[in-house]
Amino acid sequence: MKRLMMGLCLGLGLLWGAAAWAQGEAANDGAAAAPAAALVQEAPASPATPAEPAAAPAESAAPAVTVNKGDVAWMMTSTLLVIMMVIPGLALFYGGLVRSKNMLSVLMQVLMVFSLITVLWALYGYSLAFGGEGAIIGSLDKVFLKGVTTASLADTFTENVKIPELIFVAFQATFAGITCALIVGSFAERIKFGAVLLFSAIWFTFSYLPIAHMVWGPGGYLLGKGALDFAGGTVVHINAAMAGLVGAYMLGKRIGYGREAMPPHSLTLTMVGASLLWVGWFGFNAGSNLESTAGATLAFLNTLLATAAAVLAWSIGEALHKGKASMLGAASGAVAGLVAITPACGSVGPMGALVIGLVAGFLCLWGVTGLKKMLGADDSLDVFGVHGVGGIVGALLTGVFAAPTLGGTGAEDFSIASQLLVQAEGIVITMVWSTVVAAVAYKIVDMVMGLRVSEEEEREGLDITYHGESAYNR
């Protein structure tokens, strides 16, 4: 416990150091325009009284700012749906895939990581991601949610239509939380509980926040380049997948990996978790529209179609390769489709979504079979094979099917070749950034408290050794 406390203290020191660095970085850059979702402002002042002179002719007056109750209700609903994706969706999906002796450890790691990141988001994460106008990171203007009140508003994608900033903070907190929780699947069954928490805090600060700001934040570098990422293909999935892959390498393979059978202990729970992920993902994708409008319905339909197509593609590919289509494969296909459509859901047409889902289903199947063997890492629950490959596929195909000639929402002068270059740049930056930050973070945690459990603890199972309880009574 003493070592854990020392580690957490060191982690907090690193976090505050990151905040100080962000303050200086934000001061150097502020030229690029902010996205519609990122800017916040105070509620408009009361209109002039009849005794005051008119400031300008009526025809040139700025339209009044409006806050629609339907938009507010939709954003609160979407936030709840994303929370359901994590707890219990992701937790049960991952929990069913591990051996029964590690079931509770995975549930606990997902729950605790999500809770930790939610708190850090309110303390400084929101400010660094969406405050200021730096190219790489935001500012400390909103640290401890300073200035975020019931009167402050956040922009949407429609001019002069706003939502309360408080719900925007909550919605984005769930994105940060699920991103860090996704990484748990890569090193499941062999990492120390305290190491998971300390790593998550460091990686969140130095990788998630800069990538989120570059893609979505005011003045962000990739936003300024025109990168399309409607709901988090790079920010969430590629970002988390790279951190997970690095972790799989640095922790090493599980005892008996490749020699002993390690089948999922409950595909029933995995199916329940995948189903909750699919339902919750409608909040993840359609909620990213920030308004209850036709744009949200496009993202909603695309999420449905791409996921269904990926389920079919994965199952067909599995049947052709192995002779049988498995329940695990169908559930994994659903997640692959959800991942791939995430960056594209608000920018492509329904037929484009179908193609993205089909391609993702086949390629992610290869990602967890052929590619996994090539990489040689024990990525326990195939985080890179599904989220990494699916995220890359989705990000690239967004640059293709956003073209208006293919049913997308791009401008008339949309260039597929130019957009693909921008999308590729975003992918490469995310992969390199997350890899470097993850490697350093794992090394720091290893030096402070160690990463991997002992051989005896691993053989007995982390439920008993780290939490003193079992998932099932015998």
Side-chain angles (χ1 to χ4, degrees):
M1 180 59 70
K2 183 177 180 180
R3 295 180 66 192
L4 175 60
M5 293 304 298
M6 291 175 60
L8 291 175
C9 288
L10 176 59
L12 289 174
L14 289 168
L15 302 182
W16 283 113
W21 166 77
Q23 177 78 2
E25 186 69 31
N28 294 327
D29 197 344
L39 293 178
V40 293
Q41 63 182 34
E42 293 300 317
S46 300
T49 63
E52 295 175 328
E59 59 271 18
S60 63
V65 170
T66 61
V67 177
N68 187 287
K69 292 180 180 179
D71 294 339
V72 178
W74 169 237
M75 291 309 300
M76 289 193 292
T77 301
S78 295
T79 302
L80 288 173
L81 287 170
V82 181
I83 294 172
M84 188 183 70
M85 286 174 63
V86 194
I87 312 161
L90 181 66
L92 290 178
F93 181 77
Y94 277 175
L97 291 174
V98 299
R99 290 166 288 182
S100 59
K101 64 183 180 180
N102 296 314
M103 169 66 164
L104 293 183
S105 70
V106 171
L107 298 183
M108 188 68 169
Q109 287 171 18
V110 171
L111 174 61
M112 290 296 290
V113 167
F114 183 79
S115 300
L116 171 65
I117 298 306
T118 298
V119 171
L120 296 182
W121 180 258
L123 294 180
Y124 64 89
Y126 175 68
S127 185
L128 292 178
F130 290 100
E133 296 186 1
I136 296 176
I137 197 68
S139 70
L140 294 176
D141 292 347
K142 295 182 181 295
V143 68
F144 303 132
L145 298 184
K146 181 177 63 176
V148 180
T149 68
T150 55
S152 58
L153 303 175
D155 285 355
T156 66
F157 295 105
T158 301
E159 187 178 3
N160 300 312
V161 175
K162 316 292 181 182
I163 57 175
E165 188 177 6
L166 290 169
I167 192 57
F168 183 69
V169 172
F171 183 65
Q172 289 296 334
T174 63
F175 276 59
I178 195 172
T179 303
C180 295
L182 286 173
I183 303 171
V184 167
S186 292
F187 44 57
E189 301 194 294
R190 61 196 187 276
I191 192 171
K192 294 180 178 179
F193 181 60
V196 174
L197 299 180
L198 182 54
F199 167 80
S200 298
I202 298 173
W203 183 85
F204 161 75
T205 304
F206 292 98
S207 187
Y208 181 82
L209 295 180
I211 296 297
H213 182 80
M214 282 191 277
V215 174
W216 292 331
Y221 172 75
L222 290 172
L223 177 70
K225 296 282 287 188
L228 298 175
D229 190 354
F230 193 80
T234 51
V235 178
V236 176
H237 299 291
I238 298 175
N239 207 6
M242 294 310 303
L245 183 61
V246 172
Y249 280 123
M250 295 189 71
L251 270 91
K253 299 176 181 179
R254 288 167 290 179
I255 296 173
Y257 179 77
R259 302 187 306 274
E260 303 173 7
M262 298 180 180
H265 90 278
S266 177
L267 287 178
T268 302
L269 290 177
T270 294
M271 174 56 185
V272 172
S275 302
L276 290 169
L277 281 167
W278 192 345
V279 174
W281 221 290
F282 289 105
F284 196 81
N285 284 357
S288 293
N289 191 64
L290 302 179
E291 299 174 78
S292 185
T293 62
T297 64
L298 176 64
F300 195 100
L301 177 59
N302 285 342
T303 301
L304 176 64
L305 294 176
T307 308
V311 170
L312 295 176
W314 189 300
S315 297
I316 291 170
E318 196 172 41
L320 292 174
H321 179 64
K322 299 181 179 179
K324 297 178 181 179
S326 69
M327 178 67 255
L328 174 58
S332 299
V335 177
L338 291 165
V339 169
I341 197 59
T342 292
C345 59
S347 306
V348 306
M351 295 303 103
L354 280 175
V355 175
I356 290 173
L358 289 170
V359 174
F362 286 119
L363 288 184
C364 288
L365 172 59
W366 169 76
V368 304
T369 53
L371 179 60
K372 186 174 184 178
K373 291 179 180 179
M374 292 168 56
L375 294 174
D378 181 11
D379 181 355
S380 305
L381 308 182
D382 295 315
V383 175
F384 184 79
V386 175
H387 295 271
V389 174
I392 292 170
V393 168
L396 289 175
L397 292 184
T398 299
V400 175
F401 291 101
T405 54
L406 297 176
T409 62
E412 291 184 3
D413 60 348
F414 184 92
S415 168
I416 292 177
S418 298
Q419 191 62 47
L420 278 174
L421 288 175
V422 174
Q423 298 298 103
E425 182 179 2
I427 292 168
V428 171
I429 289 175
T430 302
M431 293 179 72
V432 172
W433 192 291
S434 181
T435 297
V436 173
V437 171
V440 173
Y442 283 119
K443 189 63 178 178
I444 291 173
V445 175
D446 194 27
M447 291 189 297
V448 172
M449 64 176 63
L451 282 171
R452 185 155 180 164
V453 301
S454 68
E455 180 176 346
E456 181 181 354
E457 291 171 331
E458 187 174 342
R459 291 189 182 280
E460 186 174 357
L462 305 188
D463 289 1
I464 290 293
T465 56
Y466 275 81
H467 306 292
E469 51 192 354
S470 299
Y472 308 101
N473 292 323
R474 295 186 178 90

